[in-house]
Amino acid sequence: MDKQTVFAVDQENYLPVFARYSVVLSHGEGPYVFDNEGKKYIDFLGGIAVNVLGHAHPALVRAVAGQAGKIIHCSNLYYTEEQAQLAKSLAALSGLDKVFIGNSGAEANEGAIKLARKYGKTISPDKVEIIAAEHSFHGRTLATLTATGQPKYQQGYEPLPGGFKHVPFNDIAALEAAISDKTCAVMLEPIQGEGGVVVPDQDYFVKVRDLCDKYGALLILDEIQTGMGRTGKMFAYEHLGIKPDITTLAKGLAGGVPIGAFIATNKAAAAFSAGDHGSTFGGNPLACAAANAVLKAIQDEKLLANAEAVGEYLVGKLNALKEKYPELITEVRGKGLIVGAKLTRPGRDIVNECMKQGAIINCTAGDVLRFVPPLNITVAHVDEVIAILDKTLAIA
Ligand SMILES: *Cc1c(COP(=O)(O)O)cnc(C)c1O
């Protein structure tokens, strides 16, 4: 199919819920992706923080192909070695105890919300409230879009599930005013991703943890975007000096194969028993083999250190662009390889121009350019993107 045919077929047949860019992607290699007319792009969006190993990473390709030839799927009524191995790795890496594997971020958060509700009920029948943050993003299912503190994702879907409250992010006084013995969980992203790469004060989460402990509420950290090494640690909370009771992963976990997981302490997990939650596809051997390969590559290729070092380099280069274009960029923020550049105006045209010039980046929260590239990029790749962005900003 040529490009125009794909556009036409999509427009006629696919639900028009995505504001897509006018490009048909066909294949990739490392941090590069190609469209179906052969044009090459450097990909600093990585499928929105998903392709942590880039495209067509040999170890991931081998794992997926090898597993597909053995067994792609079997029911969770049976054990598989791949799933047991992944659960063991995630429990060890997180410092938490029990893992459940689903198919997406929203599903991981949905499971975390369900577990928090059940846990609350083990203490008191009215301990059911969940406090989340304004400008957060937790997914598109009814419960997770209700947790999401952005009305645009909620409008039209009322009645929304009850029991959710929102407070400003990084405002401990607001959380203190909202939390009570009725709170079963506080649900937050360590760094707000879709909300515009918002990094809270260093001590915010220590205080959040203290408040949760004081009121017997679980702390759920949504690491769907920040986890899997993105910030230079496997989990962003490792920078914060605290541990959550439940954390959720998805995006980068299997390098692009659909997967999601929540991981809980034994204390929280004890609220679930056989039959309380489940999934047909979740944790199938194909997805788990992919995730196991991603975890191994992150370790073998020292990608945590790379994310930290190359992330610092990227921030430095963006700060130089901020000096050069103060009328366009007002702030550069992030940690490791989740980086945002706050603009003085909407960023969509800048993203479009970068795309024309061969770089894929994205704009979130309207005016924040977001960079969430593969974790195995080099400084030379950063230079490539920065050169394109520089050219773009010069004519913006
Ligand atoms: C992407 C994202 C989700 C939702 O993940 P899906 O796989 O799209 O359901 C939830 N939380 C955060 C922080 C995310 O970045």
Side-chain angles (χ1 to χ4, degrees):
M1 273 192 251
D2 67 14
K3 183 166 140 176
Q4 297 307 328
T5 309
V6 175
F7 296 165
V9 171
D10 177 274
Q11 268 156 35
E12 191 169 327
N13 299 285
Y14 202 86
L15 260 178
V17 294
F18 298 109
R20 300 195 208 259
Y21 293 97
S22 300
V23 60
V24 180
L25 296 179
S26 104
H27 63 286
E29 191 181 348
Y32 298 100
V33 68
F34 297 82
D35 69 17
N36 72 339
E37 295 175 332
K39 182 172 165 158
K40 181 179 180 181
Y41 305 83
I42 182 149
D43 181 6
F44 265 41
L45 181 61
I48 314 187
V50 167
N51 302 315
V52 288
L53 303 182
H55 299 279
H57 187 285
L60 181 55
V61 171
R62 260 197 316 276
V64 170
Q67 190 59 46
K70 275 166 68 183
I71 181 169
I72 291 176
H73 176 81
C74 71
S75 164
N76 276 307
L77 296 172
Y78 311 98
Y79 297 93
T80 68
E81 205 175 304
E82 290 74 23
Q83 189 185 89
Q85 180 56 54
L86 180 58
K88 182 180 175 190
S89 299
L90 291 179
L93 289 165
S94 64
L96 307 177
D97 303 306
K98 295 290 193 289
V99 176
F100 182 89
I101 304 168
N103 307 287
S104 69
E107 239 185 275
N109 284 337
E110 189 84 21
I113 290 166
K114 285 175 69 180
L115 180 59
R117 284 274 174 84
K118 271 243 162 177
Y119 172 83
K121 297 235 170 70
T122 64
I123 296 168
S124 158
D126 64 352
K127 194 173 180 63
V128 296
E129 280 179 9
I130 293 170
I131 302 176
E134 292 170 8
H135 306 293
S136 60
F137 184 80
H138 297 296
R140 305 284 200 144
T141 63
L142 266 180
T144 59
L145 71 82
T146 305
T148 292
Q150 303 191 55
K152 69 173 177 184
Y153 293 112
Q154 300 168 344
Q155 276 153 13
Y157 301 117
E158 302 85 357
L160 303 176
F164 290 86
K165 277 192 196 170
H166 293 93
V167 295
F169 187 57
N170 195 29
D171 181 340
I172 198 70
L175 181 61
E176 190 158 15
I179 199 168
S180 74
D181 290 333
K182 292 187 177 157
T183 309
C184 69
V186 174
M187 180 170 190
L188 296 166
E189 297 155 86
I191 293 172
Q192 289 191 330
E194 303 303 304
V197 191
V198 182
V199 185
D201 297 338
Q202 181 59 35
D203 61 350
Y204 174 64
F205 274 101
V206 173
K207 293 176 180 165
V208 170
R209 179 73 267 181
D210 285 347
L211 278 178
C212 286
D213 291 343
K214 184 171 165 195
Y215 289 93
L218 300 179
L219 175 58
I220 302 172
L221 288 183
D222 178 343
E223 293 255 14
I224 287 165
Q225 192 156 157
T226 54
M228 291 305 286
R230 176 128 322 260
T231 65
K233 304 247 189 222
M234 192 57 77
F235 292 86
Y237 61 75
E238 295 171 60
H239 296 285
L240 305 173
I242 56 144
K243 264 189 354 189
D245 302 282
I246 306 176
T247 191
T248 56
L249 285 174
K251 291 200 161 82
L253 177 52
V257 176
I259 192 168
F262 65 90
I263 317 169
T265 58
N266 278 328
K267 184 181 90 169
F272 269 179
S273 48
D276 284 348
H277 193 54
S279 173
T280 297
F281 288 124
N284 83 16
L286 184 77
C288 291
N292 288 328
V294 170
L295 289 173
K296 184 170 184 317
I298 287 176
Q299 192 172 37
D300 290 352
E301 298 171 28
K302 302 188 169 47
L303 296 185
L304 301 183
N306 194 64
E308 185 183 353
V310 181
E312 268 173 37
Y313 183 80
L314 172 60
V315 166
K317 289 284 166 177
L318 287 169
N319 271 318
L321 288 183
K322 178 183 149 222
E323 301 289 304
K324 191 167 171 188
Y325 304 103
E327 73 288 359
L328 284 173
I329 301 180
T330 60
E331 194 191 355
V332 177
R333 58 204 189 201
K335 193 143 193 82
L337 285 173
I338 173 168
V339 177
K342 170 104 169 135
L343 302 171
T344 51
R345 53 175 239 206
R348 179 122 180 152
D349 59 331
I350 292 172
V351 170
N352 269 318
E353 184 56 33
C354 282
M355 187 121 192
K356 270 192 211 148
Q357 309 241 9
I360 293 181
I361 59 171
N362 131 288
C363 179
T364 189
D367 60 0
V368 179
L369 297 181
R370 175 173 47 175
F371 306 83
V372 280
L375 304 183
N376 55 4
I377 56 161
T378 65
V379 293
H381 297 128
V382 172
D383 289 342
E384 243 181 273
V385 166
I386 291 293
I388 290 172
L389 186 58
D390 191 356
K391 265 198 274 178
T392 302
L393 294 174
I395 56 167

